[in-house]
Amino acid sequence: MNRQHWENIHATKAPGQVSWYAPHLEVSLQLIDRVALSRTASILDIGSGQSTLVDDLLARGYSRLTLLDISQAALDATRQRLGETAPAVRFLATDITTASLPPAHFHLWHDRAVFHFLTAPEERAAYIQQLTRSLKPGGHAILATFGPQGPTRCSGLDTVRYDAVTLHRQLGPGFRLLQSSTHLHPTPSGATQQFLSCHFQFQPLTAPTK
């Protein structure tokens, strides 16, 4: 992934000026609520950017939250916004495809809009390896990508569009698809983007590599 590209975006644009902005990630929150996790469950938010998901999860009482984003500027802005609650959150400024993550650690993996930017097969393979290595057996993955009618470019970059079948095929047989839906996301500029949101449960065919 292009670190400098995302650093420039987050350093020069306010949250409400980017196409993926939403005041609250309602679809993600609904799916997380359906999982009914313990409030001490370990949650990883991939490509967290400056989203308010962390604010809403903290307000719900979740206490083990990790935000991962390739942009240090995005994480710094989120840390500043959280103020006195920021020390309760772990911040990781890194590329998910090369990040150093603890094995079999997370109960929930959330990604609203990173996977569809991985246009190279080797990037997707590295991402999925990270997912299968760091998610606990029986853990959950909530992934959102552009849907079949979503844009083919976003923020100046090419994207890959998915339906539930093709996204499930990417993750492989170790994941069981529990729920999928599409919805239209209104951008701040007044356009709409079709998103696909999927909820998977991790059921590894073999023990995770440590």
Side-chain angles (χ1 to χ4, degrees), residues 109-191:
W109 173 292
H110 173 267
D111 172 4
R112 182 186 178 228
V114 170
F115 193 72
H116 61 217
F117 283 111
L118 304 181
T119 57
E122 59 270 23
E123 288 182 315
R124 295 193 292 271
Y127 178 106
I128 293 164
Q129 184 178 40
Q130 294 276 48
L131 172 60
T132 56
R133 183 177 181 274
S134 62
L135 197 60
K136 286 180 176 291
H140 298 263
I142 293 173
L143 271 68
T145 69
F146 286 140
Q149 280 77 55
T152 58
R153 286 182 64 81
C154 179
S155 300
L157 299 175
D158 291 336
T159 65
V160 182
R161 300 182 294 184
Y162 294 94
D163 59 25
V165 172
T166 55
L167 184 58
H168 192 191
R169 187 178 298 135
Q170 287 285 323
L171 268 58
F175 289 86
R176 183 163 65 102
L177 178 61
L178 300 181
Q179 184 177 348
S180 68
S181 63
T182 58
H183 69 279
L184 294 178
H185 162 66
T187 70
S189 66

Side-chain angles (χ1 to χ4, degrees), residues 17-202:
Q17 293 178 314
V18 295
S19 63
W20 58 86
Y21 172 77
H24 301 278
L25 301 188
E26 300 290 358
V27 175
S28 293
L29 288 166
Q30 289 169 14
L31 289 171
I32 293 170
D33 285 343
R34 286 175 65 92
V35 177
L37 293 167
S38 162
R39 292 310 191 252
T40 59
S42 184
I43 297 176
L44 175 64
D45 186 17
I46 303 296
S48 58
Q50 299 182 51
S51 113
T52 59
L53 181 66
V54 61
D55 308 64
D56 290 327
L57 292 176
L58 287 169
R60 282 163 160 77
Y62 289 102
S63 59
R64 295 174 62 197
L65 304 179
T66 300
L67 305 185
L68 186 153
D69 200 279
I70 199 168
S71 167
Q72 183 68 59
L75 294 177
D76 288 346
T78 299
R79 191 195 307 270
Q80 183 175 12
R81 187 186 72 237
L82 290 176
E84 63 183 16
T85 62
V89 179
R90 186 184 182 200
F91 297 85
L92 295 177
T94 186
D95 183 336
I96 182 52
T97 64
T98 58
S100 178
L101 298 175
H105 178 77
F106 297 102
H107 296 90
L108 175 70
W109 173 292
H110 173 267
D111 172 4
R112 182 186 178 228
V114 170
F115 193 72
H116 61 217
F117 283 111
L118 304 181
T119 57
E122 59 270 23
E123 288 182 315
R124 295 193 292 271
Y127 178 106
I128 293 164
Q129 184 178 40
Q130 294 276 48
L131 172 60
T132 56
R133 183 177 181 274
S134 62
L135 197 60
K136 286 180 176 291
H140 298 263
I142 293 173
L143 271 68
T145 69
F146 286 140
Q149 280 77 55
T152 58
R153 286 182 64 81
C154 179
S155 300
L157 299 175
D158 291 336
T159 65
V160 182
R161 300 182 294 184
Y162 294 94
D163 59 25
V165 172
T166 55
L167 184 58
H168 192 191
R169 187 178 298 135
Q170 287 285 323
L171 268 58
F175 289 86
R176 183 163 65 102
L177 178 61
L178 300 181
Q179 184 177 348
S180 68
S181 63
T182 58
H183 69 279
L184 294 178
H185 162 66
T187 70
S189 66
T192 58
Q193 298 173 333
Q194 186 194 51
F195 270 79
L196 167 76
S197 295
C198 290
H199 173 200
F200 300 94
Q201 187 168 26
F202 183 40

